[in-house]
Every structure is written in structure tokens, then in C-alpha cells.
Amino acid sequence: MKEFKYVVTDAEGIHARPAGLLVKKAGEFTSSVTIDKSADAKRIFGVMGLGVKTGEEVTITADGADEDAAIAELEAFFKENL
């Protein structure tokens, strides 16, 4: 299991557009990907349901066969989009 923490800097937090992109990115991996141990990052309602605002810290976890690649690409995604 691999994880990283990220403080959301997007002025609107995790809103619809980046949430949709995140779900698509997380879906590229066979590993399970969760945000804050409760939301499945492969499901839009799970991501949007968190209600993450600007300045809040989230923990992203990947667990599975391709967890190293998943965590590296997701960390880059967060830095570019959120």
C-alpha cells in the first residue's frame, strides 16, 4: 500500500470537472484507490461526496499490483489539477 497527502489549492476545492478527471485517471489502474480512507476514487459520487474545500488536506491511497505507478501518476494529477 502506498499513499501521499495533498493540500487542495484549487479555489473551488474538488469540484465536478477535476473530480471527473480524477475518477477517469484512477480507473486506469487495477489497484484500489481511496481518498481519506472512505471514498472510492473510481466513483464520482464518492469523490464529490467528500466535499473537499480549498486548503483541506486529503490522503490518497493506492493498494494493489500497480500501486507504485498509480500513486506516482495520481500525485502528478493532483499537483496539476487541484
Side-chain angles (χ1 to χ4, degrees):
M1 181 169 69
K2 303 283 183 177
E3 69 178 33
F4 71 93
K5 295 183 184 296
Y6 183 78
V7 176
V8 176
T9 58
D10 187 290
E12 297 178 30
I14 300 180
H15 55 97
R17 184 190 53 78
L21 294 172
L22 173 59
V23 169
K24 185 175 179 181
K25 177 59 77 177
E28 294 175 5
F29 303 100
T30 59
S31 295
S32 64
V33 180
T34 57
I35 301 175
D36 288 341
K37 301 189 188 316
S38 62
D40 182 350
K42 295 182 180 182
R43 300 191 181 274
I44 190 74
F45 291 116
V47 175
M48 293 296 297
L50 290 172
V52 177
K53 306 290 182 212
T54 303
E56 291 184 9
E57 182 179 73
V58 292
T59 302
I60 296 83
T61 306
D63 188 19
D66 57 356
E67 64 189 27
D68 291 324
I71 214 70
E73 287 194 38
L74 289 167
E75 189 167 8
F77 172 86
F78 269 79
K79 289 178 181 176
E80 291 172 17
N81 297 284
L82 291 166

